[in-house]
């Protein structure tokens, strides 16, 4: 009887231990797991330093590719670009011819070149001021010091326009443009005087035909007047001085806010209008 009980207890204890081993790893399982982990650790891992080296290279490669895609402009057809630039030049000449003809006709009817020049300059306000007010373009923001810096350039801007208008009214359109063709000569002279830029001798030699052509045309011009010659030269000197002064005073400097090329031209136009109004009243107000 006692032997039967001992066998039953032994059987139950073996069953319980077998069920427990199904849920908890035994020594053999633990040893197998430990061996597997040690084998994994013994394999050559990817060094942390190599990962750190790889990350910036990968990031740099991705950023450079992404940046290049973001910064790259889609390259168009070179022929289309050439035709586009050529059309701009053609439109420039076309509008310039029309402007000169209508300007001459207006001056024949109204012989007040200062008034005509002021009206033409003020007409630009009707174009860019609404763009600023409506927020289509961001309006430039300039302080008093920056406006003072732009004042000499605005004076030159005024001289370019009023000199050309007076020249067109005082002489033939063709003669005014012949004289204005000598602007490169004035530009080279001002670059040497104000900026100290001396160009190679062959460059100056190319200006001799321009000087000779202007001199011959002035001698043979039937409608030659000193007023037309002086006004055209005023426009030349003012145009060259505007470029030189712009380079000297604004090169590498940040002026105000939202002062791109278009807004700069608009600001100069507004300042020139303010300069021309009292000059017009003084010259032709009586």
């Amino acid at each position: 009887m006692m032997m039967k009980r001992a066998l039953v207890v032994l059987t139950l204890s073996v069953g319980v231990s077998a069920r427990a081993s199904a849920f908890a790893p035994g020594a053999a399982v633990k040893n197998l797991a430990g061996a597997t982990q040690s084998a994994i650790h013994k394999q050559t891992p990817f060094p942390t330093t190599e990962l750190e080296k790889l990350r910036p290279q990968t990031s740099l490669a991705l950023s450079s590719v992404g940046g290049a895609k973001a910064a790259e402009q889609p390259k168009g057809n070179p022929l289309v670009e050439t035709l586009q630039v050529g059309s701009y030049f053609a439109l420039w000449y076309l509008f310039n011819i029309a402007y000169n003809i209508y300007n001459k006709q207006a001056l024949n009817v109204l012989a007040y070149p200062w008034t005509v020049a002021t009206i033409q300059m003020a007409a630009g306000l009707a174009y860019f001021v609404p763009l600023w007010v409506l927020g289509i373009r961001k309006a430039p923001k300039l302080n008093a010091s920056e406006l003072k810096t732009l004042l000499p350039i605005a004076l030159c801007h005024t001289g370019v326009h009023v000199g050309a208008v007076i020249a067109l009214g005082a002489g033939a359109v063709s003669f005014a443009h012949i004289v204005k063709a000598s602007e490169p000569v004035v530009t080279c002279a001002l670059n040497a005087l104000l900026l100290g830029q001396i160009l190679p001798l062959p460059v100056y030699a190319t200006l001799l035909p321009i000087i000779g052509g202007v001199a011959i045309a002035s001698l043979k011009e039937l409608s030659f007047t000193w007023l037309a010659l002086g006004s055209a030269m005023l426009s030349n000197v003012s145009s060259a001085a505007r470029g030189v002064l712009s380079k000297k005073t604004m090169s590498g400097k940040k002026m105000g806010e939202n002062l791109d090329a278009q807004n700069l031209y608009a600001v100069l136009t507004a300042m020139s209008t303010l300069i021309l109004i009292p000059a017009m009243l003084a010259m032709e107000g009586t």
Side-chain angles (χ1 to χ4, degrees):
M1 189 69 180
M2 292 293 295
M3 290 293 298
K4 289 183 180 179
R5 289 181 181 177
L7 289 174
V8 172
V9 172
L10 180 61
T11 304
L12 290 176
S13 62
V14 172
V16 170
S17 64
R19 289 175 186 173
S21 65
F23 294 97
V29 177
K30 289 180 180 179
N31 291 335
L32 179 61
T36 305
Q37 290 178 1
S38 63
I40 292 175
H41 284 296
K42 285 179 181 179
Q43 292 179 358
T44 303
F46 207 94
T48 306
T49 55
E50 295 297 328
L51 283 173
E52 292 175 353
K53 291 180 182 178
L54 181 60
R55 284 192 193 109
Q57 292 176 1
T58 308
S59 303
L60 179 61
L62 292 175
S63 63
S64 63
V65 172
K69 288 183 179 178
E72 270 184 6
Q73 297 290 338
K75 293 183 178 180
N77 191 344
L79 178 60
V80 174
E81 293 180 358
T82 303
L83 293 175
Q84 186 178 14
V85 174
S87 64
Y88 289 153
F89 276 107
L91 289 173
W92 179 22
Y93 277 94
L94 179 63
F95 285 120
N96 193 30
I97 292 170
Y99 166 77
N100 291 325
I101 294 174
Y102 284 114
N103 208 352
K104 182 64 176 179
Q105 291 176 349
L107 290 168
N108 288 337
V109 175
L110 184 66
Y112 294 99
W114 286 87
T115 302
V116 172
T118 304
I119 293 173
Q120 290 174 349
M121 190 67 74
L125 300 175
Y127 172 74
F128 57 80
V129 170
L131 297 180
W132 290 344
V133 173
L134 297 175
I136 299 175
R137 284 191 63 85
K138 292 183 178 180
K141 298 178 182 179
L142 298 167
N143 55 37
S145 176
E146 291 165 342
L147 289 174
K148 185 179 178 180
T149 302
L150 291 177
L151 182 58
I153 303 174
L155 288 170
C156 294
H157 190 68
T158 306
V160 173
H161 182 64
V162 73
V165 172
I166 294 174
L168 290 173
V173 175
S174 58
F175 176 68
H177 279 272
I178 288 172
V179 177
K180 281 181 66 63
S182 62
E183 183 180 331
V185 180
V186 183
T187 302
C188 289
L190 290 181
N191 275 332
L193 291 175
L194 299 179
L195 299 179
Q197 293 182 351
I198 306 299
L199 300 176
L201 187 59
V203 176
Y204 292 121
T206 60
L207 301 176
L208 295 177
I210 299 176
I211 298 173
V214 172
I216 294 172
S218 300
L219 291 173
K220 293 187 176 182
E221 179 61 41
L222 298 177
S223 61
F224 173 83
T225 63
W226 286 105
L227 179 60
L229 176 62
S231 300
M233 286 305 299
L234 170 65
S235 182
N236 283 345
V237 173
S238 299
S239 179
R242 178 180 61 183
V244 173
L245 288 176
S246 297
K247 185 176 181 179
K248 186 176 182 180
T249 60
M250 300 179 61
S251 179
K253 295 181 181 178
K254 180 174 175 56
M255 297 274 300
E257 297 181 17
N258 307 324
L259 195 67
D260 54 8
Q262 293 80 7
N263 278 345
L264 175 61
Y265 195 87
V267 170
L268 293 177
T269 300
M271 295 176 70
S272 296
T273 303
L274 296 177
I275 294 170
L276 277 173
I277 291 174
M280 172 198 67
L281 295 175
M283 297 295 295
E284 300 171 348
T286 56

